[in-house]
């Protein structure tokens, strides 16, 4: 017998490769989206800080805007720097 | 003048004028001349015997009527007669009586001369006195069942009236028989004797009633697609009233009475017709919209009759016995439900009857597990469909009944009071405005339940037909959004977006220079797990060849979408296979599980169930079910118990014995975790707590376990477990021998027993 797979349509779930499941700011799952967004993934991406913490991009931007003095990571209080890895 | 001689001669003369005094009832009597009559009267007056003679004559006459005439009349009724003889007998009886009457008009007239022509019994005239005597005596001797013959008489007459045959139904002769003449003669005799109403009135009325009823039944019983009211009214006027006019004779004095009678019959007509329709209302509803003429008729009849309560009662009863029971499928109930609502709108535009009728349906639908699923799937079904039609009509769903009831001041003249049999606690505005979908949703009191069900169905559909028409689904989603609001359907929107995104991603990956699919082409439906209903968790170890191809795909995905990766749901998807055997080639679309099984048989011709189960990570029971698919295709054979081998070639002489192996319905099975599965998972979390308890406390009664779980394990309102549910759960553990139950206590099995 010779079995030839002519086509295989599989099903997969996508997820962010992150240290945590939930965003430390909005507490929503990374694989979902931030409270301001409706669509996950490309439309509500994650960003990493150099401290290796990551957040919904929209969440950390909002957070940083609300901080008048220092731009700190809300998790570890280190200075926030985007890690463009 | 010799008084003796005079006396004797006078008595002879008197007896000659009044032969009745001589007990001579041989009518017709010999006529006396006027001269003789006056002489006799004078004679009696001279003796001063007028009062005595008069009483004597009357009492003799009355005795005769009582003892002879009336019994003879009634004898026509009571002697055993055969069916069909009633018509003739009644005719004869009336004829006899009438002849007696005409023969005695003289006698009574002459007698009244004895008292200065003052009529006897204060009647208007002598003839009336005679009628009075006859009538009174007749009615005082009414025999039992006297009306049988009268009934037959008029029934036959009605048949005569309606006769289309050439032969007369009474005498069997040609149409020119005299039966109709006899009939009319009899009636006019009865009218003259003033006996028609007292003797036949009741019979006629009940006969006509019965006739109307059977006519209505006959003409419109099972026909709902015509209106009958006008035709029936015309029939009543032209046939029934006309016939009665002939029976009662047409003297102008009874005009008023006729009007009254006609009104009564019209009422009866309406009542009968309404009752017929009410008794068939369930069928009428089921046949909506073809049956709308019947519904319109009924809606015209209801205000003229007093039958609303009957309608409510009958319809509710019919619903109970014919619809709301386990023998009827939920889609059928829903169809009937929609038809009921639409029918009731015709029947009662105020919308009040609707409540009364749909209330039990709501209660019943609420008790059915698959209602929501059926509603949602018929909403989304292909082809013409009642509920889908309703959806297109738009309007947001108002589940809460607090919608402001603006008084329609412009239209105040059209206001109608609510009928009395309706729950007054609900304002009519809401009932009137409610549309079918809102009503159905409000059965559950929550839109969420509906939306969740829709989401599950959508997920199933998207995963089972990978080439789905996303445009159509999006259009449909927009319709639902109009009804249920954006936020509720947001998840579904993401699901649909996943489908179109997947197409794009697949396209990109295929063009990726680093991506190769030299072993076979693969594509993926990449879903955002957070937005889809939970998948059934099934294990499946795919063939290494497939796994490595998936790995390649994942690598490309990771390269395309930074910081993201894929987790494959191995058991989901669809695989197109070409299977080359020694004697044939098969092209099949199968599930990944079936593909995985067959691919193992490509590597190795025979497998035992156990080893295959370990290789594929599928429990043997499920695996066996899945192998049946290949058994049915004759590719695999179970050559001994639990041992399977590949069948490369069929002996052409032996017919395919496996052809009739029943295919399991793997295609229709939902890949989504059912609520029951989800619950099962929740219960499973308690299991570790229970083991812990029993290890520490050795044995515990049910209530104590429940209490302790409440204290330690239940967090939040959703993760709870009723005592009953816990019992079932623990009992199952006992059956699985993971628990021991004795003396009302649960404990863990001893280790050495395991
Ligand atoms: Zn966030
Ligand atoms: Zn966002
Ligand atoms: Zn940090």
């Amino acid at each position: 017998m010779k079995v030839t797979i002519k086509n295989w349509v599989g099903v997969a779930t996508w997820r962010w490769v992150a240290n945590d499941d939930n965003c430390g700011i909005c507490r929503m799952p990374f694989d979902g989206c931030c409270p301001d967004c409706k669509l996950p993934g490309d439309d509500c991406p994650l960003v990493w800080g150099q401290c290796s913490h990551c957040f919904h991009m929209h969440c950390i931007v909002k957070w940083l805007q609300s901080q008048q003095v220092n731009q700190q990571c809300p998790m570890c209080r280190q200075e926030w720097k985007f890690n463009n890895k | 003048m010799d008084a003796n001689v005079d006396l004797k001669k006078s008595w002879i003369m008197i007896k000659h004028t009044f032969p009745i005094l001589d007990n001579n009832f041989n009518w017709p009597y010999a006529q006396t001349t006027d001269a003789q009559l006056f002489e006799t009267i004078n004679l009696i007056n001279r003796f001063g015997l007028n009062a005595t003679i008069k009483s004597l004559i009357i009492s003799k006459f009355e005795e005769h009527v009582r003892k002879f005439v009336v019994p003879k009349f009634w004898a026509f009724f009571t002697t055993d007669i055969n069916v069909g003889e009633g018509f003739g007998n009644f005719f004869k009886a009336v004829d006899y009586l009438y002849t007696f009457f005409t023969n005695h008009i003289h006698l009574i007239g002459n007698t009244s001369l004895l008292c200065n022509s003052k009529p006897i019994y204060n009647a208007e005239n002598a003839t009336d006195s005679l009628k009075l005597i006859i009538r009174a005596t007749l009615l005082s001797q009414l025999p039992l069942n006297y009306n049988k013959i009268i009934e037959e008489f008029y029934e036959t007459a009605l048949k005569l009236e309606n006769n289309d045959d050439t032969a007369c139904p009474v005498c069997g002769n040609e149409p020119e028989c005299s039966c109709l003449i006899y009939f009319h003669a009899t009636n006019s005799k009865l009218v003259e004797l003033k006996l028609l109403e007292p003797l036949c009135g009741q019979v006629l009325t009940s006969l006509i009633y019965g006739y109307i009823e059977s006519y209505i039944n006959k003409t419109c019983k099972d026909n709902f697609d015509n209106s009958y009211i006008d035709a029936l009214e015309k029939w009543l006027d032209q046939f029934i009233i006309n016939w009665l006019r002939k029976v009662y004779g047409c003297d102008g004095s009874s005009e008023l009475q006729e009007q009254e009678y006609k009104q009564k019959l019209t009422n009866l007509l309406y009542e009968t017709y309404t009752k017929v329709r009410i008794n068939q209302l369930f069928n009428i509803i089921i046949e909506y919209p073809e049956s709308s003429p019947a519904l319109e008729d009924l809606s015209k009849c209801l205000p003229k009759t007093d039958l609303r309560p009957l309608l409510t009662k009958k319809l509710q009863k019919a619903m109970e016995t014919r619809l709301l029971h386990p023998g009827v499928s939920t889609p059928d109930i829903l169809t009937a439900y929609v038809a009921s609502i639409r029918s009731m709108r015709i029947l009662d535009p105020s919308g009040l009857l609707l409540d009364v009728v749909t209330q039990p349906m709501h209660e019943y639908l609420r008790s059915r597990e698959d209602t929501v699923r059926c509603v949602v799937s018929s909403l989304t079904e292909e082809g013409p469909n009642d509920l889908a039609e309703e959806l297109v009509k738009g309007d947001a769903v108002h589940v809460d009944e607090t919608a402001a009831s603006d008084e329609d001041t412009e239209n105040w003249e059209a206001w109608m009071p609510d009928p009395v049999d309706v729950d007054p606690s609900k304002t009519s505005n809401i009932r009137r405005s409610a549309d079918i979908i809102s009503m159905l949703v409000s059965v559950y009191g929550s839109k969420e339940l509906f939306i969740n069900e829709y989401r599950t169905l959508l997920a199933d559909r998207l995963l089972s037909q990978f080439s789905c028409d996303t445009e159509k689904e999006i259009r449909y989603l927009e319709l639902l959004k109009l009804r249920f609001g954006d936020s509720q359907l947001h998840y579904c929107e993401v699901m649909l977006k996943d489908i179109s995104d997947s197409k794009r991603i697949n396209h990109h990956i295929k063009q990726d220079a680093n991506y190769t699919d030299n072993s076979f082409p693969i594509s993926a439906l990449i879903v955002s797990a957070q937005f889809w209903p939970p998948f059934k968790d099934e294990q499946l170890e795919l063939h290494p060849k497939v796994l490595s191809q998936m790995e390649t795909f994942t690598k490309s995905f990771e390269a395309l979408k930074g910081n993201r990766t894929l987790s494959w749901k191995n058991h989901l998807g669809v695989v197109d296979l070409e299977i080359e055997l020694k004697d044939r080639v098969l092209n099949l679309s199968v599930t990944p599980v079936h593909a995985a099984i067959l691919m193992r048989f490509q590597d190795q011709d025979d497998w035992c169930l156990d080893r295959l189960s370990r290789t594929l990570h599928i429990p043997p029971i499920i695996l066996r079910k899945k192998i049946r698919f290949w058994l049915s295709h004759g590719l695999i054979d179970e050559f001994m118990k639990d041992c399977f081998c590949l069948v490369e070639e069929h002996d052409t002489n032996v017919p395919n014995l496996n052809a009739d192996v029943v295919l399991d319905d793997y295609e229709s099975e939902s890949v989504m975790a059912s609520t029951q599965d989800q619950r099962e998972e929740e219960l499973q979390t308690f299991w570790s707590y229970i083991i812990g308890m029993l290890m520490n406390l050795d044995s515990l009664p049910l209530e104590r376990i429940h209490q302790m779980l409440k204290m330690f394990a239940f967090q939040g309102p959703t993760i709870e477990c009723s005592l009953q549910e816990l019992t079932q759960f623990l009992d199952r553990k006992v059956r699985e021998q993971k628990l021991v139950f004795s003396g009302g206590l649960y404990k863990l099995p001893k280790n050495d027993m395991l």
Side-chain angles (χ1 to χ4, degrees):
Chain A
M1 178 180 68
K2 185 173 174 246
V3 179
T4 316
I5 299 167
K6 291 199 299 185
N7 192 29
W8 188 297
V9 183
V11 175
T13 57
W14 66 267
R15 61 186 163 82
W16 290 101
V17 184
N19 299 333
D20 212 342
D21 290 338
N22 299 322
C23 167
I25 297 171
C26 69
R27 294 282 156 202
M28 300 299 271
F30 283 137
D31 303 335
C33 43
C34 80
D36 296 335
C37 284
K38 294 232 146 167
L39 304 171
D42 293 341
D43 292 301
C44 185
L46 298 199
V47 286
W48 278 260
Q50 278 174 3
C51 59
S52 90
H53 285 121
C54 80
F55 305 97
H56 288 122
M57 182 183 80
H58 301 133
C59 292
I60 189 71
V61 167
K62 231 159 85 181
W63 162 263
L64 293 174
Q65 279 168 357
S66 70
Q67 303 294 301
Q68 266 99 34
V69 202
N70 302 321
Q71 305 274 292
Q72 285 176 340
C73 167
M75 300 298 276
C76 63
R77 297 284 157 189
Q78 292 182 44
E79 192 194 349
W80 178 267
K81 285 223 172 88
F82 284 102
N83 181 3
N84 303 313
K85 63 171 174 181
Chain B
M1 202 161 61
D2 187 350
N4 278 334
V5 175
D6 262 355
L7 216 57
K8 204 171 179 182
K9 263 175 82 183
S10 305
W11 185 232
I12 290 172
M13 200 164 93
I14 293 170
K15 284 205 290 190
H16 179 74
T17 311
F18 297 106
I20 199 168
L21 291 171
D22 209 10
N23 291 327
N24 175 3
F25 292 102
N26 291 324
W27 37 274
Y29 305 100
Q31 286 286 339
T32 46
T33 62
D34 285 352
Q36 277 175 324
L37 179 63
F38 284 114
E39 206 186 329
T40 313
I41 301 291
N42 282 334
L43 190 69
I44 296 172
N45 281 341
R46 226 177 317 140
F47 283 114
L49 281 172
N50 38 7
T52 318
I53 299 283
K54 190 199 97 181
S55 318
L56 198 61
I57 293 171
I58 294 299
S59 80
K60 280 224 178 234
F61 177 75
E62 283 179 345
E63 192 188 339
H64 176 64
V65 172
R66 189 169 66 242
K67 288 200 173 152
F68 184 74
V69 179
V70 166
K72 194 171 170 194
F73 175 82
W74 286 126
F76 285 103
F77 291 70
T78 44
T79 38
D80 287 332
I81 45 161
N82 300 321
V83 181
E85 285 174 9
F87 186 85
N89 264 37
F90 188 64
F91 166 74
K92 280 183 217 154
V94 174
D95 190 53
Y96 165 73
L97 197 68
Y98 188 73
T99 315
F100 171 77
F101 163 73
T102 46
N103 277 306
H104 288 83
I105 294 175
H106 255 91
L107 174 70
I108 299 299
N110 295 350
T111 309
S112 69
L113 294 176
L114 288 172
C115 35
N116 300 326
S117 302
K118 212 178 111 205
I120 299 146
Y121 295 135
N122 292 325
E124 248 171 60
N125 54 45
T127 323
D128 273 353
S129 312
L130 176 58
K131 290 177 192 168
L132 193 70
I133 292 167
I134 294 175
R135 197 161 64 233
T137 318
L138 204 67
L139 297 178
S140 71
Q141 293 183 30
L142 270 185
L144 226 56
N145 301 328
Y146 76 98
N147 43 11
K148 257 195 185 150
I149 284 178
I150 304 180
E151 225 171 78
E152 198 186 317
F153 179 77
Y154 285 104
E155 227 176 309
T156 315
L158 265 174
K159 265 186 224 149
L160 266 173
E161 191 74 19
N162 231 359
N163 191 25
D164 301 325
D165 281 349
T166 42
C168 160
V170 184
C171 59
N173 289 334
E174 292 302 296
E176 298 92 38
C177 70
S178 13
C179 294
L180 215 54
I181 297 166
Y182 291 149
F183 169 69
H184 291 307
T186 305
N187 284 323
S188 53
K189 283 171 189 169
L190 284 169
V191 169
E192 200 182 332
L193 291 171
K194 293 197 175 152
L195 272 172
L196 185 63
E197 189 56 33
L199 207 56
C200 312
Q202 220 179 351
V203 176
L204 266 171
T205 305
S206 73
L207 186 73
I208 288 293
Y209 279 24
Y211 195 77
I212 290 177
E213 271 168 40
S214 74
Y215 178 80
I216 292 175
N217 270 310
K218 202 173 67 201
T219 13
C220 27
K221 190 157 192 206
D222 295 311
N223 189 341
F224 308 144
D225 32 6
N226 280 317
S227 169
Y228 283 98
I229 287 193
D230 293 342
L232 285 176
E233 279 206 56
K234 203 172 152 198
W235 171 81
L236 185 75
D237 196 51
Q238 290 189 342
F239 184 75
I240 296 290
I241 300 286
N242 218 9
W243 185 76
L244 283 171
R245 231 176 255 149
K246 280 187 219 161
V247 170
Y248 280 90
C250 200
D251 48 349
S253 65
S254 60
E255 188 93 7
L256 192 74
Q257 222 177 351
E258 189 190 306
Q259 277 303 319
E260 234 170 68
Y261 202 66
K262 189 177 168 182
Q263 190 53 49
K264 235 163 89 183
L265 287 181
T266 311
N267 290 347
L268 173 85
L269 185 85
Y270 271 98
E271 195 167 309
T272 310
Y273 182 61
T274 312
K275 275 184 187 158
V276 168
R277 286 300 183 228
I278 285 177
N279 281 328
Q280 299 158 326
L281 188 52
F282 184 79
N283 290 357
I284 294 176
I285 288 175
I286 296 300
E287 283 182 29
Y288 181 89
E290 282 73 25
S291 59
S292 17
L295 286 165
E296 267 152 26
D297 271 4
L298 191 52
S299 107
K300 275 186 220 150
C301 289
L302 276 182
K304 298 193 182 184
T305 56
D306 199 14
L307 295 169
R308 267 179 88 101
L310 180 77
L311 182 145
T312 317
K313 208 178 97 203
K314 285 264 180 178
L315 186 56
Q316 280 178 342
K317 183 89 193 131
M319 293 274 181
E320 258 167 53
T321 53
R322 298 188 53 189
L323 190 67
L324 306 179
H325 59 76
V328 185
S329 73
T330 308
D332 286 348
I333 296 180
L334 285 172
T335 309
Y337 175 77
V338 176
S340 307
I341 294 177
R342 291 178 174 174
S343 307
M344 290 304 135
R345 280 176 186 163
I346 293 184
L347 206 55
D348 175 31
S350 73
L352 298 166
L353 210 49
L354 190 63
D355 256 15
V356 184
V357 175
T358 51
Q359 198 58 34
M361 296 180 106
H362 283 164
E363 263 158 42
Y364 187 75
L365 282 171
R366 210 176 290 144
S367 74
R368 282 222 172 180
E369 269 177 15
D370 60 340
T371 304
V372 182
R373 182 158 275 245
C374 287
V375 172
V376 174
S377 65
S378 61
L379 274 177
T380 55
E381 221 167 57
E382 289 287 334
N385 167 305
D386 293 336
L387 284 178
E389 261 170 47
E390 287 293 319
L391 183 71
V392 179
K393 285 188 189 160
D395 285 349
V397 170
H398 293 294
V399 175
D400 51 341
E401 295 207 336
T402 52
S405 61
D406 305 41
E407 287 293 328
D408 197 350
T409 41
E410 303 223 337
N411 234 344
W412 60 271
E413 278 175 301
W415 181 85
M416 290 285 282
D418 291 354
V420 286
D421 51 347
V422 160
D423 182 1
S425 64
K426 295 177 183 168
T427 66
S428 49
N429 264 347
I430 286 154
R431 268 186 256 105
R432 280 167 200 176
S433 65
D435 77 324
I436 294 180
I437 295 194
S438 298
M439 287 179 75
L440 262 177
V441 171
S442 65
V443 167
Y444 299 90
S446 121
K447 296 185 203 173
E448 283 75 10
L449 209 68
F450 255 70
I451 299 303
N452 278 341
E453 201 62 44
Y454 169 67
R455 185 159 72 118
T456 308
L457 283 176
L458 179 66
D460 267 343
R461 210 161 47 239
L462 295 178
L463 288 177
S464 60
Q465 1 164 329
F466 291 85
S467 54
C468 92
D469 183 353
T470 37
E471 293 228 342
K472 201 196 95 198
E473 293 291 351
I474 288 169
R475 262 202 320 276
Y476 182 72
L477 193 62
E478 292 302 320
L479 283 176
L480 282 178
K481 273 180 171 174
L482 286 177
R483 289 273 181 169
F484 294 96
D486 281 4
S487 57
Q488 306 275 349
L489 288 152
H490 167 221
Y491 282 31
C492 300
E493 236 179 321
V494 174
M495 285 160 65
L496 285 174
K497 185 169 177 291
D498 281 347
I499 303 294
S500 43
D501 282 356
S502 297
K503 278 183 191 155
R504 236 185 345 268
I505 295 168
N506 280 310
H507 186 70
H508 272 292
I509 288 177
K510 297 247 156 90
Q511 298 191 331
D512 180 359
N514 298 319
Y515 175 77
T516 50
D517 56 1
N518 31 26
S519 61
F520 63 89
I522 190 167
S523 56
L525 196 63
I526 300 159
V527 304
S528 308
Q530 295 287 334
F531 297 81
W532 287 64
F535 294 103
K536 255 185 206 164
D537 214 9
E538 267 174 45
Q539 284 270 308
L540 172 64
E541 183 65 16
L542 292 170
H543 196 275
K545 211 169 98 183
V546 180
L547 288 177
S548 81
Q549 189 61 48
M550 284 177 166
E551 187 59 25
T552 321
F553 188 93
T554 307
K555 287 257 158 61
S556 284
F557 176 84
E558 285 166 357
L560 183 69
K561 302 274 181 188
N563 296 317
R564 273 167 275 178
T565 188
L566 294 178
S567 318
W568 291 83
K569 298 279 168 195
N570 287 352
H571 61 290
L572 298 178
V574 64
V575 184
D576 295 333
L577 294 180
E578 184 180 84
I579 307 153
E580 274 177 70
L581 295 149
K582 277 199 181 134
D583 58 347
R584 60 209 160 115
V585 179
L586 287 174
N587 276 295
L588 290 172
S589 268
V590 298
T591 66
V593 184
H594 292 122
I597 294 169
L598 200 66
M599 286 173 84
R600 297 294 168 173
F601 278 90
Q602 187 179 23
D603 299 346
Q604 180 187 320
D605 275 359
D606 36 347
W607 288 84
C608 75
L609 189 65
D610 246 23
R611 205 155 55 80
L612 192 58
S613 154
R614 266 177 279 132
T615 312
L616 295 173
H617 298 184
I618 305 176
I621 300 170
I622 295 168
L623 181 59
R624 173 174 273 287
K625 259 165 73 182
K626 301 291 180 190
I627 291 177
R628 264 161 61 187
F629 175 79
W630 293 120
L631 290 174
S632 75
H633 277 88
L635 262 86
I636 289 174
D637 187 29
E638 186 170 10
F639 63 95
M640 54 184 281
K641 191 172 179 347
D642 290 343
C643 292
F644 300 90
C645 69
L646 185 68
V647 183
E648 272 279 5
E649 212 170 358
H650 278 284
D651 188 343
T652 45
N653 295 323
V654 180
N656 188 358
L657 291 173
N658 291 318
D660 55 350
V661 171
V662 185
L663 267 176
D664 63 326
D665 48 350
Y666 72 99
E667 279 148 322
S668 58
E669 219 173 84
S670 170
V671 294
M672 295 301 140
S674 67
T675 42
Q676 206 183 342
D677 293 343
Q678 291 172 36
R679 182 72 189 142
E680 193 64 24
E681 224 164 83
E682 284 167 15
L683 287 174
Q684 210 57 43
T685 59
F686 301 146
W687 181 231
S688 53
Y689 283 96
I690 295 168
I691 293 178
M693 285 178 216
L694 293 174
M695 266 162 46
N696 288 323
L697 300 164
D698 192 40
S699 62
L700 288 169
L702 177 72
E703 288 76 17
R704 187 99 175 90
I705 296 177
H706 191 241
Q707 247 171 14
M708 290 179 77
L709 281 176
K710 254 195 206 159
M711 260 190 278
F712 303 117
F714 302 158
Q715 308 143 328
T718 51
I719 314 175
E720 245 193 38
C721 173
S722 70
L723 205 59
Q724 194 194 1
E725 208 175 358
L726 185 65
T727 319
Q728 282 169 5
F729 180 71
L730 293 179
D731 284 352
R732 207 172 57 243
K733 290 292 177 195
V734 170
R735 277 199 300 280
E736 288 166 3
Q737 298 181 335
K738 288 180 178 152
L739 270 184
V740 175
F741 182 67
S742 75
L745 298 173
Y746 289 94
K747 54 177 146 190
L748 294 170
K750 294 221 173 62
N751 273 341
D752 52 62
M753 280 173 70
L754 283 170

